[in-house]
Amino acid sequence: MVKTHNYKNFAENETEFDPEKELSWMDYSGILDMEVEFISDLGETELTVAEILQLEKGSIIDLKKPAGESVESYVNGRILCKGEVMVYEKNLAIRINEVLDSSAVLYHLSKERL
């Protein structure tokens, strides 16, 4: 008597990965027009009330951050990216150099919308 083995072809049972179907729960179209608070942290310092009262036009406040160091930007209190301060059309602007885990940011924004 000859024994035969019935091996299943596992590839036949697996379906192809369909990103539209698998990631359908990540539909963020409803939050794309949502307003958010965008804050960029240029630095910080502590001043006494007396020092604040002495401020006048042209006063300089040391933010205790070296020039050229990257600044962090936050959306609704959560860090989003790092960048550098620059001048753009006579205004201060942030050039984004690094986005930190954008999928997590979108996930948290969608939860806030609910």
Side-chain angles (χ1 to χ4, degrees):
M1 178 192 262
V2 176
K3 287 188 178 181
T4 60
H5 294 285
N6 237 354
Y7 293 107
K8 290 185 180 178
N9 186 350
F10 290 105
E12 289 178 7
N13 295 334
E14 291 183 24
T15 59
E16 247 182 77
F17 176 71
D18 180 8
E20 293 274 332
K21 183 178 177 185
E22 296 294 322
L23 304 176
S24 63
W25 65 272
M26 294 178 69
D27 180 17
Y28 298 113
S29 61
I31 66 168
L32 294 179
D33 62 348
M34 180 175 78
E35 291 186 20
V36 296
E37 178 183 56
F38 182 88
I39 295 174
S40 198
D41 184 7
L42 301 176
E44 62 183 63
T45 193
E46 292 183 11
L47 298 172
T48 65
V49 173
E51 291 170 325
I52 292 172
L53 293 174
Q54 291 175 354
L55 293 175
E56 55 189 49
K57 185 176 180 178
S59 294
I60 296 176
I61 299 172
D62 183 6
L63 296 177
K64 311 248 192 287
K65 194 167 196 175
E69 189 172 315
S70 67
V71 295
E72 292 80 26
S73 296
Y74 300 84
V75 171
N76 289 355
R78 290 185 177 85
I79 190 163
L80 170 71
C81 58
K82 292 183 179 184
E84 60 185 294
V85 178
M86 60 177 283
V87 177
Y88 177 75
E89 295 181 3
K90 299 183 182 180
N91 294 311
L92 285 179
I94 305 290
R95 174 179 288 152
I96 297 173
N97 296 331
E98 177 184 2
V99 177
L100 307 174
D101 197 9
S102 58
S103 61
V105 171
L106 285 173
Y107 174 77
H108 288 295
L109 287 174
S110 68
K111 292 298 181 190
E112 289 175 8
R113 176 80 180 223
L114 299 176

